[in-house]
């Protein structure tokens, strides 16, 4: 009988099998056919692949269910056979393995993005994964492996959905990263590991996209933020085209070259992805047999709270610099913001997110509680707005559990809930939410009797919260205790009790601490003087995070100075960066006449993705006498070009690019009313995902950006036959044809399309792109250009066609 899976990987490194798709293709899978359909039509072929990997020494056999979700099977008319296909796949693997290996049920991405990048809601995405996972679990899979995901939000929905079915089944969660160490939507390995661990994954790691050396770097990055076991599934090198066939050059020996480093990082599962064969798996097994497989001492320090967004990780505690939590997204005392919330607008939220992070906030508190609104809907809008504007992780601040849940579903990463207290009702409502969605919590040191007068009383409440959190499955380090700042003008003696409580919590519980610092000075003149002095004292007492207004210079000066004096700013680097030779920030313009030129403001609206405010700026520009083409060429397009430059430097990522594109579309919709008959397209671009490939996310982004740059775009969709591409290119007089493919098994169809275009005598430029496509491949098949991403595609097609 096999050991429990998690016990087995604690004792030794397990070997997972290799590529499935290419093996099936060699054994009869037809172009454009669903690989999962073979579970029903050619089960002996699927079993044969499993058997080869098992005989090569694999400890884990992965089912042929990567595309077994309703969303994927729908492309083949198989959407009503989800349970049948997935159950049969588990049965095939189980029949082959017996007790010799674990059966890991594979779940891949749907090919769609979760809102706001895509149009699928969190609940819809979770339902898709829940259906497939239920079938796999019911069929008796030993574990579930989530593979080749690009969107952290999608894989987070998958983990949460699985945990809703089974708290026990082991879950592996893997994303695919590029050579820059990011997913296509900008997620870093660190952010992925923090988010997925919080959501409930047992093992995290990466598969596909990279060879053994690149995957090794991803493992090292993940190990900095998690103690979970890691999994590495590298490709056999990067694909090349040889005699019309896709070839992965990595040899079996290449796959073992980084084993020592992987073992030092506590990688507990090693397998192969694209291009790997039973020979590669045999080499991995033999190489591991010669090495010490015991667990190493590595990973982050204990007691650190990690929070994440789609792109960023923030660490709290363990003597690190105290985290600044921006407090300004809160309608209390802000009539204008409260009115915007009632109207469903988000301009204030976006502006404050940008300004507070620019002034030093690394976390943003989001509070939308005001009378007369749908708070859950407002919280969702606020979370999406902040997440697409900046990279700071979020603190969701509400007393309404429904609002918190909507915010948790909309979030990209691991958030901090503000807050739970020592009342039984509060803990019963908030702690399960935190556990389900993978959040940390702020624990307020008060209960039904109010705020204890003494530090010992507040410590006692904190102890109850920590104990209840532990029973709910929340780690001690994910409970951040707020010892509560009271107004010194009314309760002067209790200020020092707060500081003493901070010290006691740190000493007795080891939990991170937080305070809403500015409360101390309420009702007093020149409040920042009192607030900043108290802030410095709290930092000296060991405070780990503070909810403050980062735009108050006195507060930030107290933080910078204290961090240096407390040795929490190594080499005074942050202090020097803030103050060395820097003049005080200029006052904000007081009148409309002092605002930047309208062209600059239009560009800024595009850069920040302000789709809500950009139309009024277009109206203002037109009222000032600017011609529509001036508005476009001198205001809007320079903004989009700056987005492109920032994207190239990894300063913004695809979600921000799409937000900017949506703002552009809103502006152009208004300009078209003025430009009827004036605007001439810069060229006609025909776009398609080639036959056999049902992935079109990247292509869709390219289409959107080309339209925003003034091109006429004809999007034929996905799985498009070569005959149709040729016919539509001729009928529309296309200046360029763009082809996309995500899979190695379909990229060769690009060469067929290009050959058909040439045979038909169609004189047009051609461009190719997609996750597996390279410049070498583009040159080999005779494409005129290759683009790594959407922004590069636009720049290169403009250069090719000789347009601005």
């Amino acid at each position: 009988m096999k050991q429990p899976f998690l016990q087995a990987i604690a004792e030794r490194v397990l070997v997972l099998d290799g590529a499935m798709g290419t093996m099936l293709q060699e054994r009869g899978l037809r172009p454009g056919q669903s690989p999962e359909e073979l579970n029903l039509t050619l089960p002996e072929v699927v079993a044969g692949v499993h058997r080869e990997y098992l005989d090569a020494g694999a400890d884990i056999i992965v089912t042929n269910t990567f595309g077994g979700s309703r969303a994927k099977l729908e492309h083949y008319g198989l959407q009503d056979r989800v349970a049948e296909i997935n159950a049969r796949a588990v049965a095939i693997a189980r029949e082959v393995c017996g007790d010799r290996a674990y059966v890991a049920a594979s779940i891949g991405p749907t090919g769609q993005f979760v809102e706001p990048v895509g149009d699928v809601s969190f609940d819809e995405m979770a339902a898709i994964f829940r259906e497939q996972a239920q079938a796999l679990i019911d069929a008796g899979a030993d574990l579930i492996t989530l593979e080749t995901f690009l969107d952290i939000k999608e894989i987070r929905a998958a983990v949460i959905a699985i945990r809703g079915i089974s708290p026990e089944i082991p879950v592996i969660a893997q994303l695919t990263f590029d050579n820059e160490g990011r997913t296509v939507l900008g997620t870093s390995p660190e952010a992925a590991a923090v988010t997925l661990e919080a959501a409930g994954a047992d093992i995290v790691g990466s598969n596909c996209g990279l060879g053994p050396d690149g995957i090794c770097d991803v493992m090292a990055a993940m190990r900095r933020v998690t103690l979970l076991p890691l999994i590495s599934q590298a490709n056999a090198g990067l694909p090349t085209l040889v005699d019309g066939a896709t070839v992965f050059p990595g040899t079996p020996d290449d796959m073992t070259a980084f084993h020592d480093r992987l073992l030092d990082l506590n990688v507990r599962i090693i397998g192969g992805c694209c291009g790997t064969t039973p020979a590669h798996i045999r080499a991995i097994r033999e190489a591991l047999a010669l090495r010490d497989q015991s667990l190493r001492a590595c990973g982050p320090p204990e007691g650190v709270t990690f929070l994440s967004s789609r792109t960023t990780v923030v660490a709290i505690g363990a003597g690190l610099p105290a985290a600044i939590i921006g407090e300004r997204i809160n309608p209390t005392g802000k009539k204008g913001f409260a009115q915007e919330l009632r109207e469903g607008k988000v301009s204030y939220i976006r502006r404050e997110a940008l300004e507070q992070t620019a002034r030093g906030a690394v976390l943003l508190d989001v509070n939308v509680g005001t009378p007369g609104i749908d708070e859950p809907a407002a919280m969702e809008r606020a979370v999406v707005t902040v997440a697409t504007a900046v990279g700071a992780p979020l603190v969701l601040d509400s007393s309404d559990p429904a609002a918190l849940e909507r915010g948790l579903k909309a979030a990209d990463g691991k958030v901090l809930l503000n807050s739970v207290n020592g009342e039984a009702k509060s803990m019963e409502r908030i702690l399960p939410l935190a556990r389900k969605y993978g959040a940390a919590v702020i624990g307020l040191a008060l209960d039904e009797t109010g705020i204890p007068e003494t530090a010992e009383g507040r410590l006692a409440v904190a102890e109850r919260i920590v104990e209840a959190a532990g029973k709910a499955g929340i780690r001690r380090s994910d409970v951040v205790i707020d010892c509560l700042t009271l107004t010194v003008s009314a309760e002067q003696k209790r200020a020092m009790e707060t500081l003493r409580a901070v010290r006691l919590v740190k000493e007795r519980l080891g939990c991170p601490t937080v305070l809403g610092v500015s409360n101390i000075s309420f009702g007093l003149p020149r409040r920042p003087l009192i607030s900043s002095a108290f802030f410095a004292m709290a930092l000296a007492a060991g405070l780990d995070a503070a909810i403050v207004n980062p735009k108050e210079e006195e507060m930030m000066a107290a933080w910078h100075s204290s961090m240096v004096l407390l040795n929490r700013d190594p080499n005074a680097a942050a202090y020097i960066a803030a103050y060395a030779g820097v003049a005080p920030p200029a006052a904000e313009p007081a009148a409309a006449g002092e605002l930047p030129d309208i062209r600059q403001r239009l560009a800024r609206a595009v850069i920040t993705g302000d789709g809500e405010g950009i139309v009024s700026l277009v109206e203002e520009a037109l009222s000032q006498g600017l011609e529509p083409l001036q508005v476009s060429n001198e205001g809007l397009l320079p903004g989009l070009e700056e987005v492109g430059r920032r994207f190239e430097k990894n300063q913004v990522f695809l979600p921000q690019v799409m937000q900017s594109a949506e703002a552009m579309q809103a502006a152009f919709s208004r300009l078209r009313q003025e430009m009827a008959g004036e605007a001439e397209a810069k060229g006609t671009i025909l776009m398609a995902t080639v036959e056999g490939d049902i992935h079109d996310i990247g292509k869709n982004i390219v289409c959107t950006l080309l339209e925003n740059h003034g091109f006429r775009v004809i999007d034929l969709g996905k799985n498009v036959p070569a005959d149709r591409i040729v016919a539509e290119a001729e009928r529309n007089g296309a200046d360029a044809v763009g082809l996309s493919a995500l899979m190695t098994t379909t990229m060769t169809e690009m060469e067929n399309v290009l050959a058909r275009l040439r045979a038909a005598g169609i004189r047009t430029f051609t461009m190719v792109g997609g996750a597996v496509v390279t410049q070498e491949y583009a040159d080999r098949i005779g494409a005129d250009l290759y683009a790594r991403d959407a922004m590069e595609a636009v720049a290169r097609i403009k250069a090719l066609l000789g347009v601005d």
Side-chain angles (χ1 to χ4, degrees):
M1 176 169 293
K2 301 189 299 288
Q3 290 175 286
F5 181 76
L6 296 179
Q7 180 183 335
I9 62 172
E11 295 180 5
R12 66 188 191 281
V13 177
L14 299 186
V15 177
L16 185 139
D17 64 16
M20 171 63 76
T22 50
M23 296 279 283
L24 292 178
Q25 195 174 32
E26 293 170 359
R27 290 159 174 77
L29 177 66
R30 301 187 307 274
Q33 183 183 14
S34 163
E36 292 71 30
E37 187 178 14
L38 269 60
N39 296 326
L40 305 179
T41 60
L42 293 172
E44 68 280 3
V45 171
V46 178
V49 175
H50 291 330
R51 192 170 293 109
E52 287 188 52
Y53 282 124
L54 184 67
D55 292 342
D59 300 297
I60 305 169
I61 297 298
V62 179
T63 60
N64 180 36
T65 53
F66 178 80
S69 67
R70 175 173 295 272
K72 281 291 190 71
L73 293 175
E74 186 176 13
H75 297 289
Y76 307 100
L78 299 170
Q79 64 271 19
D80 294 329
R81 305 183 76 177
V82 173
E84 180 186 7
I85 287 171
N86 284 277
R88 186 70 187 107
V90 174
I92 293 168
R94 177 68 66 209
E95 289 165 9
V96 171
C97 295
D99 284 337
R100 293 174 60 192
Y102 298 93
V103 172
S106 172
I107 296 179
T110 62
Q112 304 169 345
F113 284 145
V114 185
E115 297 171 333
V117 179
D119 55 8
V120 181
S121 73
F122 178 93
D123 286 337
E124 289 168 338
M125 189 66 78
I128 290 170
F129 290 121
R130 190 178 301 112
E131 178 185 29
Q132 185 182 7
Q134 187 71 68
L136 294 166
I137 292 169
D138 288 347
D142 294 313
L143 63 142
I144 290 178
T145 178
L146 303 168
E147 306 178 287
T148 325
F149 279 76
L150 304 175
D151 181 4
I152 188 65
K153 208 164 190 176
E154 182 184 19
I155 193 171
R156 177 173 175 264
V159 175
I160 291 170
I162 294 166
R163 283 291 170 245
I165 300 170
S166 171
E168 297 85 19
I169 191 165
V171 175
I172 297 172
Q174 301 180 85
L175 286 97
T176 297
F177 299 89
D178 60 22
N179 288 326
E180 302 299 321
R182 297 271 180 176
T183 69
V184 69
L185 293 183
T187 300
S188 67
E190 294 93 333
V194 168
T195 302
L196 296 173
E197 179 176 7
D202 297 293
I203 303 103
V204 295
S206 178
N207 76 299
C208 203
L210 297 170
D213 53 344
I215 290 277
C216 195
D217 292 337
V218 170
M219 298 294 101
M222 288 187 167
R223 181 52 71 214
R224 288 193 284 270
V225 297
T226 184
L227 293 171
L228 285 183
L230 300 179
I231 176 171
S232 167
Q233 278 186 264
N235 288 343
L238 298 179
T240 59
L241 199 66
V242 178
D243 297 330
T246 304
V247 175
F248 287 82
T251 67
D253 286 343
D254 291 337
M255 296 297 291
T256 68
F258 291 84
H259 272 16
D260 290 331
R261 190 176 174 207
L262 292 176
L263 292 173
D264 286 341
L265 293 168
N266 281 338
V267 174
R268 306 305 290 173
I269 303 172
I270 300 177
C273 203
C274 298
T276 54
T277 65
H280 293 85
I281 299 307
R282 183 173 290 106
I284 290 172
R285 158 63 66 205
E286 292 172 353
L288 284 172
L290 302 175
R291 288 169 165 84
D292 176 10
Q293 299 180 28
S294 59
L295 289 167
R296 275 59 159 177
C298 59
E302 292 185 9
V304 178
T305 300
F306 289 107
L307 302 172
S308 61
S309 65
R310 183 184 291 273
T311 61
T312 307
V313 169
V314 170
I316 301 175
L320 296 166
I324 299 295
I325 304 173
E327 68 181 9
R328 294 278 301 163
I329 303 177
N330 187 319
T332 303
K334 303 181 185 73
K335 292 182 180 180
F337 179 29
Q339 184 59 34
E340 279 197 11
L341 288 172
R342 284 188 282 271
E343 295 172 359
K345 296 180 178 179
V346 295
S347 293
Y348 175 91
I349 295 170
R350 179 180 293 106
R351 183 171 65 251
E352 282 296 336
L354 291 163
E355 291 180 2
Q356 289 186 101
T357 52
R359 297 296 187 95
V362 295
L363 301 167
L364 292 175
D365 189 83
V366 178
N367 185 318
V368 293
T370 197
I373 69 164
D374 179 346
E375 188 176 349
M379 179 64 83
E380 181 178 16
R381 282 194 299 273
V383 168
V384 169
T385 300
V386 174
T388 53
V390 298
L394 302 181
V395 181
L396 303 188
D397 188 353
S398 176
S399 58
D400 180 356
L404 290 176
E405 185 161 22
R406 284 283 284 276
L408 286 163
K409 290 178 181 180
D412 295 327
K414 178 184 177 184
V415 307
L416 180 61
L417 293 186
N418 189 7
S419 54
V420 65
N421 62 51
E423 292 186 60
K425 183 172 72 171
S426 173
M427 293 188 286
E428 289 166 1
R429 295 166 72 193
I430 304 302
L431 294 178
L433 278 179
R435 181 68 187 96
K436 178 178 179 180
Y437 294 99
V441 294
I442 291 177
L444 303 181
L446 62 84
D447 57 20
E448 53 277 344
T449 65
I451 301 174
E453 292 190 7
T454 66
E456 287 78 10
R458 298 182 206 182
L459 173 65
V461 176
E463 288 173 335
R464 292 203 303 275
I465 295 172
V466 169
E467 181 182 2
K471 291 178 179 178
I474 299 169
R475 295 180 304 188
R476 181 178 297 248
S477 60
D478 281 339
V479 182
V480 184
I481 297 298
D482 186 342
C483 294
L484 300 169
T485 306
L486 303 177
T487 304
V488 73
S489 60
E491 300 179 272
Q492 193 166 351
K493 294 180 180 180
R494 298 177 74 181
M496 296 307 295
E497 283 301 303
T498 295
L499 300 182
R500 204 162 66 83
V502 169
R503 293 188 181 94
L504 280 176
V505 167
K506 298 285 291 180
E507 293 168 3
R508 305 280 182 85
L509 294 179
C511 293
T513 54
V514 64
L515 286 174
V517 177
S518 301
N519 295 338
I520 195 76
S521 60
F522 185 77
L524 293 173
R526 298 193 63 183
R527 291 185 58 187
L529 293 179
I530 292 287
S531 296
S532 59
F534 180 73
F535 190 15
M537 296 168 71
L539 292 168
L543 187 68
D544 297 299
I547 304 173
V548 300
N549 178 3
K551 295 194 283 187
E552 288 185 351
E553 284 300 308
E554 292 94 336
M555 296 298 287
M556 294 308 292
W559 180 79
H560 278 295
S561 302
S562 297
M563 291 299 94
V564 173
L565 295 170
L566 294 168
N567 194 30
R568 294 166 72 178
D569 178 7
N571 302 312
Y575 182 92
I576 292 169
Y579 297 117
V582 177
E588 295 183 6
E594 296 174 316
L595 290 172
D597 179 83
I598 186 62
R599 298 168 180 81
Q600 294 173 285
R601 291 160 59 201
L602 283 164
R604 177 68 175 167
V606 173
I607 292 167
T608 60
D610 186 7
E612 190 174 277
I614 201 167
V615 175
S616 63
L617 290 176
V618 171
E619 297 283 3
E620 184 178 339
L622 294 172
S623 70
Q624 290 182 15
L626 270 69
E627 296 295 326
L629 285 176
Q630 285 181 289
V631 175
S632 173
N633 296 338
E634 298 174 17
L636 300 174
L637 285 177
L640 197 58
E641 288 165 1
E642 175 61 22
V643 171
R645 284 189 286 272
R646 295 184 183 187
F647 179 78
E648 183 69 23
K649 295 177 181 178
N650 277 335
Q651 295 172 339
V652 298
F653 301 96
L654 277 180
Q656 289 78 30
V657 172
M658 294 303 293
Q659 195 79 5
S660 294
E662 289 175 10
M664 284 283 288
Q665 287 179 329
F668 278 142
S669 294
R670 174 63 186 89
L671 285 178
R672 287 191 189 101
Q673 300 172 30
E674 307 291 328
M675 297 169 67
E678 285 185 38
E680 184 176 339
K682 294 178 179 178
T684 297
I685 314 297
L686 188 78
M687 297 288 295
T689 298
V690 296
E691 187 172 18
D693 204 312
I694 58 174
H695 303 86
D696 65 351
I697 293 169
K699 172 187 63 66
N700 293 345
I701 295 170
V702 175
C703 291
T704 298
L705 293 181
L706 284 169
E707 287 178 340
N708 283 336
H709 278 268
F711 291 95
R712 174 183 175 230
V713 177
I714 301 168
D715 183 3
L716 300 183
K718 54 197 172 186
N719 194 22
V720 184
D723 287 345
R724 186 181 174 210
I725 295 173
V726 172
E728 292 293 340
E730 183 173 26
R731 187 169 71 84
N732 290 281
D735 297 293
V737 172
L739 304 175
S740 174
L742 182 71
M743 302 183 296
T744 57
T745 53
T746 57
M747 63 187 283
T748 54
E749 177 64 14
M750 290 177 169
E751 183 175 19
N752 177 44
V753 173
L754 266 59
R756 300 284 290 277
L757 286 168
R758 287 190 288 267
I762 297 174
R763 303 176 65 85
T764 184
F765 292 112
T766 55
M767 62 178 179
V768 296
V772 296
V773 182
T774 63
Q775 182 66 61
E776 179 188 6
Y777 178 72
D779 294 340
R780 167 67 178 79
I781 65 176
D784 293 300
L785 66 83
Y786 156 76
R788 293 172 300 170
D789 52 59
M791 298 302 295
E792 185 174 284
V794 172
R796 290 197 168 189
I797 197 66
K798 288 171 73 175
L800 192 69
L801 297 180
V803 297
D804 295 329

